[in-house]
Amino acid sequence: MKKRILCALLCLTMTAGMMTACGGGGDSAEGNADAGSDEKTEAPADYDPVDFSGSEVFGVSPSGEAAGSIKDVQLTDEEKEEIRKGNYTAAFCYHQLDNQVNISKYEATCAVLEDLNIEVLSTTDAQSDADKLVNDLETTLALKPDVLFSMPYDPDVTAATYQKFVDAGTKIVFMENIPTGFTEEQYITMTNSDSYGNGKYAADILAREIGYSGKVAMVYYDADFFTTNERDRAFRETMAESYPDIEIVGEYGFTSIDVVGASADGMFAEHTDLKGVYASWDIPAEDVMASAQAVGLNDLVITTVDLGDNSATLIASDGMIKGVGCPKAVETGEIEGLAAACGLLGKDVPKYLVSASQAVARDNVLEAYQVCFNIDTPDMVKEAYDAAE
């Protein structure tokens, strides 16, 4: 019940004057757990089976450098005590807090901050609106936090406001993106899940589900946004390099999810023989599914990135969405909290830190949900899985 209440509360923008309690957490087993697979991972001799281990990192930073990991931001007992005595403060300006990935990540970061006696002054949710994010940032700036956690939803629109935090001496942990014009000395680090790995797993699962041959299409986020750009790049490159008998016959970009349905309608009218579609994340993937069902393409295979409750239920029920590459949200959140502490201590931190991504299909969806979010798999997902047996 606590999780459900928190989920509802986080979907609202908290006023900057509110004091946000950061509780919950505890030690996460997520980093050591594998979401296992069954016999469906077997592939023809020419192809490798889908890797469900969730152990390998494939991506690089925006500048092409190798990514760091949670191992690079560990603190000694002495360093933890030093942070606790500092009475530091923090604030969150999220771009979106209405999905399980970000909720679990936020909670994990809060647990780290609570352990280190770092007080959270405010948490805001811009609801995927860049102008609202700027307003949230301006309000939060007045609180003078020692560290800010935020995702530049639009790197151009938000850059000037983030610069005000730099000028005020606030240290910043960026999530998933860097504001336009920023250089590495202006922030502690950028954190992410392995975006390239997420797109690669979406390609691997799609290839397996359509039998390693046929025509597919992409419905992708057509904006300068590193995280989705990397997912999409990975999908394209994996298909070209690993699956020569699969052809991407169309790429349909969108900048607002409101137009995905119409774009998908046009895609299916243009290509009547598609076997599969990739979408940049799970919400537009659901719109693609609705369009496919409307024209009777009930055998279409869809893969995407992120594991929401809807997509998890569809995967479990052997529905049209067959699999995703999912961020390990808890580990990413822990990385963010530890990186902030390292920055406050003046320690060197890699400028790009990631957690490994997790391939999820019906093979492992029940276990993978727990691995990625460190909470019990919802009953509706379990029930959908059992009903499809």
Side-chain angles (χ1 to χ4, degrees):
M1 178 64 70
K2 177 182 176 184
K3 296 287 184 184
R4 293 181 184 274
I5 294 172
L6 179 60
C7 206
L9 289 174
L10 288 176
C11 292
L12 300 174
T13 301
M14 302 179 186
T15 62
M18 292 176 61
M19 303 299 288
T20 305
C22 251
D27 292 337
S28 168
E30 178 271 330
N32 297 319
D34 289 337
S37 58
D38 61 21
E39 70 279 356
K40 197 172 182 180
T41 61
E42 295 179 3
D46 291 343
Y47 301 102
D48 294 329
V50 177
D51 179 8
F52 288 98
S53 69
S55 59
E56 188 172 355
V57 171
F58 299 92
V60 295
S61 73
S63 61
E65 298 173 359
S69 72
I70 196 168
K71 296 177 182 178
D72 296 303
V73 288
Q74 293 301 304
L75 300 170
T76 66
D77 290 341
E78 292 77 12
E79 289 169 336
K80 291 178 181 178
E81 283 306 310
E82 183 178 349
I83 286 289
R84 289 171 184 140
K85 292 176 182 177
N87 295 314
Y88 292 110
T89 60
F92 291 82
C93 287
Y94 257 92
H95 63 302
Q96 185 181 21
L97 264 175
D98 62 354
N99 62 74
Q100 192 59 58
V101 170
N102 285 342
I103 291 169
S104 290
K105 184 161 71 77
Y106 169 79
E107 290 178 344
T109 307
C110 283
V112 172
L113 299 182
E114 183 180 47
D115 178 61
L116 296 174
N117 191 36
I118 299 174
E119 179 185 5
V120 176
L121 300 177
S122 69
T123 300
T124 60
D125 175 5
Q127 301 169 350
S128 301
D129 184 326
D131 292 331
K132 186 177 186 308
L133 178 57
V134 169
N135 289 334
D136 291 344
L137 288 165
E138 292 282 3
T139 306
T140 300
L141 181 65
L143 301 177
K144 300 180 180 179
D146 293 305
V147 62
L148 172 71
F149 300 88
S150 188
M151 200 282 274
Y153 186 69
D154 184 315
D156 296 325
V157 170
T158 56
T161 311
Y162 285 118
Q163 182 60 49
K164 293 180 182 180
F165 283 89
V166 176
D167 295 341
T170 298
K171 297 182 181 296
I172 307 176
V173 173
F174 285 121
M175 310 170 187
E176 304 179 23
N177 212 2
I178 301 295
T180 301
F182 266 53
T183 56
E184 292 185 348
E185 64 271 12
Q186 294 175 277
Y187 59 94
I188 297 173
T189 191
M190 181 179 95
T191 64
N192 207 346
S193 76
D194 181 12
S195 294
Y196 194 95
N198 285 328
K200 171 182 163 42
Y201 289 141
D204 289 338
I205 296 169
L206 181 57
R208 184 187 74 170
E209 295 295 329
I210 67 171
Y212 301 97
S213 66
K215 296 178 181 179
V216 302
M218 298 176 62
V219 175
Y220 72 98
Y221 187 48
D222 189 14
D224 180 13
F225 187 63
F226 176 76
T227 294
T228 51
N229 295 162
E230 281 294 279
R231 298 173 182 180
D232 303 339
R233 181 172 74 89
F235 182 85
R236 294 184 188 98
E237 292 181 356
T238 301
M239 284 301 183
E241 295 168 4
S242 300
Y243 307 109
D245 295 325
I246 296 176
E247 180 184 4
I248 300 176
V249 296
E251 298 189 17
Y252 297 80
F254 66 93
T255 55
S256 168
I257 59 175
D258 294 336
V259 303
V260 171
S263 180
D265 291 343
M267 174 179 67
F268 293 129
E270 184 176 0
H271 300 285
T272 59
D273 54 351
L274 289 177
K275 295 178 71 174
V277 175
Y278 156 85
S280 290
W281 69 90
D282 55 342
I283 295 173
E286 292 176 24
D287 290 337
V288 172
M289 180 182 70
S291 291
Q293 291 172 332
V295 294
L297 294 177
N298 297 314
D299 293 330
L300 187 78
V301 171
I302 300 172
T303 61
T304 184
V305 176
D306 293 343
L307 189 66
D309 286 357
N310 287 347
S311 57
T313 302
L314 287 164
I315 292 167
S317 65
D318 201 21
M320 194 176 291
I321 295 180
K322 298 295 187 183
V324 302
C326 183
K328 289 185 174 180
V330 173
E331 183 177 312
T332 310
E334 291 170 348
I335 288 171
E336 289 172 4
L338 291 169
C342 289
L344 290 169
L345 291 172
K347 296 182 65 176
D348 289 335
V349 178
K351 291 300 178 179
Y352 186 55
L353 290 164
V354 304
S355 59
S357 57
Q358 176 68 56
V360 183
R362 192 168 188 277
D363 313 56
N364 68 333
V365 63
L366 301 183
E367 299 89 351
Y369 197 99
Q370 298 175 39
V371 165
C372 293
F373 304 130
N374 198 32
I375 59 176
D376 289 340
T377 305
D379 288 342
M380 68 177 185
V381 179
K382 296 176 184 178
E383 292 166 1
Y385 187 93
D386 291 340
E389 285 287 271

